Amino acid sequence: MRTPLPGGVRLAVAAVLFTASALGLTAAPAAAATAGARPVPADVPRYYLALGDSLAAGYQSTPDGGHVVGRGYAQDIARTLAERAAARHKAFDFTDLGCPGETTGTMANGGCPYPHPWADSQLAAAERFLRGHRGDKVLVTLDIGANDVNRCAAGGSIDLPCALQGIATAGHGLSDILGRLRAAAGPRTRIVGMNLYDPFLAAWLTGDQGKATAALSLPLSHALNAAIGIADAAHGVPTADVARAFDTDALRTVPFGGGQVPLNVARIMQWTNMARGDIHANDAGYQVIADTFLARL
């Protein structure tokens, strides 16, 4: 059952769809990426390099108000690949350069707000890594772009002009990043990107205004994921369809918390830490993301 939207929200949703279409961001990302994807390698990589923002870094809040890093999808992928390599008696190494708070701009130009080991930028550090392993079989995973948009949803409402600008910035920035990674990588390097789940669906649980915010977040999520898919496809990079794995478009209701909620809302509450206001995935959600990546390998 769909919740009727106030007239202002219906107009805002229409504006998102019209603007996304005008920007060329309405293509289905998974299908677009598949068309430009490289053949799937038959063997495990010698090196795995994880790039991106807090999701790549494995950031999670903790119930006591703190946080941890290094407990995310990249670690889950690395564990699986290490097991596969060990079964074949082959060496395997994992490097995670993900930095919480990273945007497409700071990834390319420096300035990640979280402590990091490089003096210039994450992208420059990745380029050095790839140039140093041009003859090796390397897997690169990348998630970036969420922080170009997340700032536009402060205080339980969505700043539509900010979000549309952020989506355009994320798409162009990701394309530039992928171009530089491709130039640095050797012929045996495989890059796999991912699209994003929609944590703002959790607002549905906060009342009528929250339902309107959740409804508006969906077309914005579609537009951002389309921008990611188009950038990936332009550089021959397959996209792990995390949005689909999180049932982002599933509106049928399911039992949750003693009531009935849309499945997409239930997934966000089950697989992220939005119950305490943290948009990051929890252990179960990170495993879903890892499995979605691994299915592309």
Side-chain angles (χ1 to χ4, degrees), residues 63-76:
D64 61 3
H67 73 273
V68 296
V69 293
R71 205 172 88 188
Y73 75 77
Q75 287 71 33
D76 294 334

Side-chain angles (χ1 to χ4, degrees), residues 84-108:
R84 293 177 182 176
R88 300 183 187 192
H89 306 288
K90 293 189 175 184
F92 172 78
D93 285 295
F94 167 50
T95 299
D96 190 348
L97 297 181
C99 190
E102 197 85 286
T103 65
T104 55
T106 61
M107 183 174 179

Side-chain angles (χ1 to χ4, degrees), residues 196-242:
L196 302 166
Y197 59 85
D198 179 1
F200 304 108
L201 290 169
W204 194 94
L205 297 170
T206 65
D208 289 343
Q209 183 56 46
K211 288 180 172 64
T213 297
L216 179 56
S217 76
L218 265 181
L220 289 170
S221 175
H222 294 160
L224 176 59
N225 285 334
I228 290 170
I230 289 168
D232 285 351
H235 295 275
V237 171
T239 305
D241 197 352
V242 170

